[in-house]
Amino acid sequence: MNKLILMGRLTRDPEVRYSQGENSLAIARFSIAVDRRFKRAGEPEADFFNCTSFGKQAEFVERYLKQGTKILLSGRVQNDNYTNKEGQKVYSVQVMVDEIEFAESKNASAENAGFRPAAQAPQPSQAVGDGFMNIPDGIDEELPFN
């Protein structure tokens, strides 16, 4: 079985191209950074994965995802090995995406991007679906889900 589930943020805006021919197909390529659960000094804090999606899903990626968007995806790992111009074998993997979902609310996404219109600032008692826990009155702290 080849099944992979990842949650992370897009490292750059997706690149979308359309195949040639009568029935053109959208192909979206993007990469995500996935935080490591346990961080050790001197080691990277995240792993980076190159991802590809096709068709309607690629059109969704083009329309709604941008750098910094937190997503949850499932797919499969595919070897993407080749020989470069110098004759050296290059080994890499590609995530072929089956499903994509947003992993945070639009408000939380804007907050993580460093932008939040004052009119949309969350109140401490907002519902869980907005990415914040219900907090009893009198507590001024926001607790985002991770």
Side-chain angles (χ1 to χ4, degrees), residues 48-69:
F48 299 86
F49 298 92
N50 293 319
C51 304
T52 302
S53 63
F54 299 94
K56 296 273 188 204
Q57 187 174 77
E59 293 170 8
F60 170 84
V61 167
E62 179 179 36
R63 186 169 183 178
Y64 296 107
L65 303 186
K66 63 183 186 330
Q67 181 178 354
T69 304

Side-chain angles (χ1 to χ4, degrees), residues 36-132:
R36 289 190 176 176
R37 189 171 191 170
F38 302 103
K39 297 171 175 101
R40 295 184 183 158
E43 291 186 11
E45 294 185 14
D47 293 299
F48 299 86
F49 298 92
N50 293 319
C51 304
T52 302
S53 63
F54 299 94
K56 296 273 188 204
Q57 187 174 77
E59 293 170 8
F60 170 84
V61 167
E62 179 179 36
R63 186 169 183 178
Y64 296 107
L65 303 186
K66 63 183 186 330
Q67 181 178 354
T69 304
K70 189 172 188 178
I71 61 169
L72 175 66
L73 67 79
S74 66
R76 60 187 167 82
V77 178
Q78 180 174 300
N79 288 324
D80 199 14
N81 305 334
Y82 63 95
T83 304
N84 65 16
K85 293 178 183 176
E86 291 80 36
Q88 299 168 328
K89 190 77 170 171
V90 178
Y91 297 94
S92 65
V93 295
Q94 183 81 6
V95 175
M96 307 308 283
V97 179
D98 293 327
E99 299 175 89
I100 296 177
E101 294 182 27
F102 290 106
E104 67 184 356
S105 71
K106 192 173 185 177
N107 287 342
S109 180
E111 181 179 274
N112 287 322
F115 171 75
R116 176 179 291 286
Q120 294 182 1
Q123 299 304 314
S125 61
Q126 276 190 307
V128 173
D130 288 337
F132 293 88

